[in-house]
Amino acid sequence: MCASAAFAGVLADLRWLLPSLITVVAVVGTGVLGRRLGWPNVGVAAGQLAVLLVALTALFAGSSAFLGVLPGPAAFGELARLLGGTRELISTGVPPVAAEPPLQALVCLGLGVVALLVDLIAVGIGTPAVTGLVLLCVFAIPASLSDRMLPWWTFALGGAGYALLLASGGHHRRWRRYEEPDRVAHTLFGRTTSVVAGTAGVIAVLAGSVFTGVGTEGRLPGSVPEEFGGTDGIGLQPFTSLRGQLNRDQVVELFRVRGLQQDSYLRAMTLRKFDPRSGWQLDGLTQGVDASAPLPLPEGTTIGRGRPERIEVQPIGYRDPWLPVFGTPVEVSGMGRNWRYDPAAGIVFTQTNQETRPYTQQVIVPDPSPEELRSARGPMPIDPAYVDASGIAPEVADLARRLTENAPTEFDKAVALNRYFTDPANGFRYDLTTAPATGQDALSDFLFRGKRGFCEQYASSMAVLLRSIGIPSRVAVGFTAGYQDGTEQVITTEDAHAWVEAYFPGWGWQTFDPTPLSDGRTALPQFLDTALHPPQAAAPLPGQPQPAPAPGAPVPPAAGAQPDQPDARDVPDQRREPADRTWSVAVLVLIVLLVCAGAASPLAVREIRRGQRLQAITEGRAGAADTAWREVLDEFRDRGYQPRDTHTARQLAERLAKDHDLDATGTDALKQLVKAVEREWYAPTSQADGTLPETLKAITASLQQNAPLDLRSRLFPRSALPPWRTS
């Protein structure tokens, strides 16, 4: 359970803790009961597996079980469905994720199996040190899933738990100075230990290899595997974590930005290939150029005019092979070695797994006017893949033609498509939950029936519509500008976003955003904001003709008409700063403190009892000899000896001195104490024995020298615990 604290680094809340504790206690309790009943190790393990299944059934499939706990076919089906649901949560979530019931069940199953193995190795086989390799597996999974170092206190708890396990028993209790060296070596390096250690090592390596690739962690440019499937056919394969960042319960701070003069999108990557069956994909990424040198203009861009800015970015909770940049990067510094820049894709990336350091960007924020983009003409020196429209459904292409048939220029066509999604009259709605599929392809479902989704669906759809009418397009993935915090912009997981970039000769790739956000996060470039919301001209004098609207501009409502919804620019910023989640850590720390207090209670009881007895003996109170004798017997109980009621004080003293190798001084002092006890029992006098404190001190000193207590016996003194057996 101490090792399971590592899951606090990848799970956002503590809902998994109580079910896990119940599961582990059930497994360990079954082991204790089985061994007290004399079961062999195989029988104990079988009983623990059965109890583990019952515990999982009671916790997660009680409604389908017999009497709420006994598993049957329906309960097995419910558990299988629940555990099967972890695949989507793992593939789309970005740690820390909410501890939903499927993940709770998976964690309980894993910890139950680990508890069984640790119990078998430490108690059944008697080699507790080997359990460290099994417990490393518990750390390996969260460490490989998390995008940053696990909290330090999880390692401290794991180490403390392992130390307690070593101190609680095993062969080391017999490794005293009289143990033969060859016997110790056989125990340490015997066949059983080697087999268990080798198996645990293989499991640890396999677990680390399998789970390292989950999410975006471990994914390097140019190696996008099939597992990065999109969402309903129009997903963003290389950045599946986008969905996880948008719908996670806990908001995580990713960047702090200084020097940003105007809100702008922070681009992490661009996607150029569209496959109707699997969605948008990263494709054609080259080795590019050294990102630490002055950067060339993006491919196909000849006009480098714009607003120069120097921006400082400090990554907080971000670690990825993509280095997000604003606008058109001119120079990037401070991020370390081995970073590359691909001018065609506009991406800064690395092929080595390294920590993202604070970095500085010299960028140009393009500021073309709508008229300049309308007049953009000439060749398009970009890869033909950006206009590949193969596989697009005919009804999708027909929709794009109908929406842009009255737009005279490529720019006006792009504005018309952008407006189609953001105009409330067209019925599109921003929602993290997409509409149910109807059996058609996902793109047609979204455009013609569902009309509900988040930035992934909107950016994907508009880029496809642009290509179907011959305008080069790609999908960009990154973050919006975040919120203001003093002189800094704070970008969190709430700001994960996808938008569209369309190509215009000379000006290069320009930003469009079709997602109908209403929370103030949209950061439209000036040319698009002007085209979507043209300034209203002053009302003409009576008798003057009405001016014609600009090409592609919306027709203003009639006098007295009320708009369906307020303008997006008038919507107040409703975003909130990340909620304080320190309470979850505080609860975990409180639980740990309570557990530690419970574990320390036997030692506290023993020390209080010893102090009271020593004070009574020093003050010469009535019954001081009997008090000293009871203290000596507790010293022997702490060393594993349980006195029998049928033995006299002399018989006990002789056996104790022999079994614990007391020296002559200790043996003589024990005999003197027995005489004092017999006088007090059988011939009591009112005169106090002033030598009792020194006698007791000599006995305890001899015990500490010749029969020292091991760590377990010091932490959990047997004299303060209920007796389990007699000897």
Side-chain angles (χ1 to χ4, degrees):
M1 286 307 300
C2 288
S4 73
F7 286 103
V10 293
L11 297 176
D13 53 75
L14 295 177
R15 286 179 290 169
W16 60 275
L17 185 59
L18 182 58
S20 299
L21 181 61
I22 293 173
T23 303
V24 171
V25 168
V27 171
V28 175
T30 303
V32 173
L33 177 62
R35 291 187 179 91
R36 286 189 62 82
L37 296 177
W39 295 356
N41 285 336
V42 175
V44 171
Q48 288 174 320
L49 283 175
V51 169
L52 173 59
L53 183 59
V54 170
L56 291 175
T57 302
L59 289 170
F60 302 104
S63 60
S64 304
F66 297 113
L67 302 178
V69 294
L70 300 179
F76 282 122
E78 178 67 16
L79 286 175
R81 183 195 63 78
L82 197 64
L83 293 173
T86 60
R87 179 176 181 180
E88 181 181 358
L89 290 174
I90 292 175
S91 64
T92 61
V94 180
V97 297
E100 300 296 341
L103 289 179
Q104 293 180 40
L106 183 63
V107 170
C108 288
L109 175 61
L111 291 181
V113 172
V114 169
L116 188 155
L117 293 175
V118 170
D119 182 68
L120 175 63
I121 296 170
V123 184
I125 301 177
T127 53
V130 180
T131 60
L133 296 173
V134 181
L135 295 174
L136 280 178
C137 294
V138 182
F139 274 90
I141 296 175
S144 61
L145 288 175
S146 180
D147 55 0
R148 54 183 173 177
M149 177 68 72
L150 296 177
W152 65 268
W153 49 268
T154 63
F155 294 99
L157 277 178
Y162 184 51
L164 285 174
L165 184 63
L166 293 178
S168 296
H171 285 298
H172 74 283
R173 294 169 60 188
R174 301 200 303 268
W175 295 349
R176 295 175 179 165
R177 56 185 176 81
Y178 54 80
E179 190 75 285
E180 297 179 2
D182 59 339
R183 186 174 180 183
V184 175
H186 175 75
T187 302
L188 281 174
F189 307 107
R191 183 178 62 181
T192 300
T193 304
S194 300
V195 170
V196 174
T199 304
V202 170
I203 293 174
V205 171
L206 291 178
S209 301
V210 169
F211 285 96
T212 296
V214 178
T216 58
E217 184 67 8
R219 301 299 187 188
L220 301 181
S223 59
V224 183
E226 290 297 326
E227 292 88 278
F228 271 102
T231 305
D232 297 330
I234 56 173
L236 307 175
Q237 287 194 343
F239 214 60
T240 313
S241 63
L242 179 66
R243 175 190 289 271
Q245 290 174 336
L246 288 170
N247 63 12
R248 64 196 296 155
D249 287 343
Q250 184 179 16
V251 178
V252 177
E253 187 174 314
L254 297 178
F255 304 97
R256 284 189 170 263
V257 179
R258 289 181 292 273
L260 186 63
Q261 300 175 21
Q262 184 175 342
D263 284 356
S264 180
Y265 292 142
L266 184 61
R267 182 177 60 253
M269 68 176 71
T270 60
L271 314 176
R272 77 170 187 179
K273 182 180 179 180
F274 176 71
D275 184 338
R277 293 172 300 177
S278 56
W280 287 86
Q281 304 171 14
L282 181 69
D283 180 66
L285 189 65
T286 68
Q287 289 297 317
V289 299
D290 184 2
S292 61
L295 304 180
L297 286 175
E299 185 177 281
T301 303
T302 58
I303 303 175
R305 195 193 77 199
R307 184 177 67 255
E309 294 189 11
R310 182 182 184 275
I311 303 172
E312 298 177 2
V313 181
Q314 181 183 4
I316 304 297
Y318 179 86
R319 179 175 179 174
D320 218 67
W322 321 101
L323 192 75
V325 293
F326 292 97
T328 301
V330 176
E331 184 179 341
V332 185
S333 60
M335 67 284 188
R337 303 174 57 187
N338 300 322
W339 288 90
R340 311 291 295 177
Y341 173 64
D342 185 349
I347 296 174
V348 180
F349 64 92
T350 182
Q351 291 182 326
T352 60
N353 194 5
Q354 56 181 290
E355 192 74 31
T356 306
R357 307 174 186 175
Y359 58 100
T360 301
Q361 309 176 30
Q362 298 282 354
V363 303
I364 293 175
V365 181
D367 58 351
S369 67
E371 290 71 23
E372 288 173 322
L373 292 180
R374 288 189 178 101
S375 61
R377 298 286 189 276
M380 294 189 295
I382 57 174
D383 196 297
Y386 287 111
V387 290
D388 181 13
S390 58
I392 297 178
E395 64 268 21
V396 174
D398 182 64
L399 174 66
R401 285 191 295 270
R402 286 190 288 108
L403 292 174
T404 60
E405 59 185 355
N406 295 325
T409 67
E410 304 295 280
F411 174 72
D412 292 315
K413 294 179 187 293
V415 172
L417 293 177
N418 201 118
R419 183 182 295 112
Y420 174 67
F421 293 103
T422 57
D423 186 348
N426 294 323
F428 287 94
R429 181 163 58 91
Y430 180 82
D431 196 335
L432 293 181
T433 303
T434 57
T438 61
Q440 306 294 326
D441 72 276
L443 183 58
S444 298
D445 256 348
F446 174 72
L447 287 172
F448 301 109
R449 286 168 287 277
K451 294 189 175 184
R452 188 175 84 225
F454 57 100
C455 55
E456 177 183 331
Q457 282 75 27
Y458 288 99
S460 299
S461 301
M462 179 176 171
V464 171
L465 292 173
L466 285 169
R467 286 194 180 183
S468 68
I469 56 175
I471 300 178
S473 65
R474 64 190 186 188
V475 173
V477 181
F479 306 90
T480 57
Y483 64 89
Q484 189 76 23
D485 182 17
T487 60
E488 298 179 326
Q489 292 287 122
V490 179
I491 298 176
T492 71
T493 48
E494 276 192 329
D495 301 303
H497 194 51
W499 61 95
V500 178
E501 292 183 350
Y503 178 78
F504 297 91
W507 289 99
W509 297 96
Q510 301 299 318
T511 296
F512 291 80
D513 191 352
T515 305
L517 294 174
S518 60
D519 58 0
R521 283 193 293 152
T522 303
L524 298 180
Q526 186 62 42
F527 68 82
L528 181 58
D529 190 54
T530 300
L532 289 174
H533 313 102
Q536 298 294 329
L541 295 175
Q544 288 186 341
Q546 295 281 350
V555 178
Q562 297 295 327
D564 292 337
Q565 288 189 9
D567 190 287
R569 295 168 296 174
D570 298 328
V571 177
D573 188 354
Q574 298 175 348
R575 302 189 62 222
R576 295 178 298 173
E577 297 186 16
D580 185 6
R581 300 287 182 175
T582 55
W583 63 269
S584 58
V585 177
V587 171
L588 182 59
V589 171
L590 178 61
I591 293 174
V592 171
L593 291 177
L594 291 176
V595 172
C596 292
S601 58
L603 179 60
V605 170
R606 180 73 178 93
E607 291 299 325
I608 293 173
R609 186 181 297 167
R610 178 186 285 117
Q612 292 174 341
R613 287 171 175 171
L614 291 178
Q615 184 177 1
I617 295 169
T618 302
E619 295 175 356
R621 299 176 188 172
D626 181 72
T627 301
W629 178 245
R630 284 188 281 115
E631 175 62 24
V632 168
L633 290 183
D634 278 352
E635 287 284 352
F636 286 106
R637 288 190 181 95
D638 291 342
R639 288 162 173 78
Y641 180 77
Q642 184 66 29
R644 294 183 182 274
D645 296 336
T646 56
H647 288 169
T648 64
R650 290 178 180 270
Q651 290 174 326
L652 284 174
E654 292 175 1
R655 181 172 178 179
L656 295 175
K658 179 180 179 181
D659 290 351
H660 292 83
D661 296 329
L662 295 188
D663 54 23
T665 302
T667 302
D668 291 342
L670 188 59
K671 291 179 180 179
Q672 293 176 17
L673 178 60
V674 169
K675 292 179 180 179
V677 169
E678 289 178 339
R679 284 197 302 270
E680 188 173 271
W681 287 350
Y682 307 118
T685 63
S686 58
Q687 185 176 359
D689 188 347
T691 64
L692 280 178
E694 294 299 326
T695 301
L696 180 60
K697 183 177 180 181
I699 296 172
T700 55
S702 180
L703 280 172
Q704 291 173 2
Q705 180 178 355
N706 298 282
L709 289 170
D710 55 26
L711 180 60
R712 183 269 182 197
S713 298
R714 289 198 299 271
L715 294 177
F716 304 102
R718 293 177 177 85
S719 60
L721 298 173
W724 284 80
R725 61 175 69 90
T726 58
S727 60

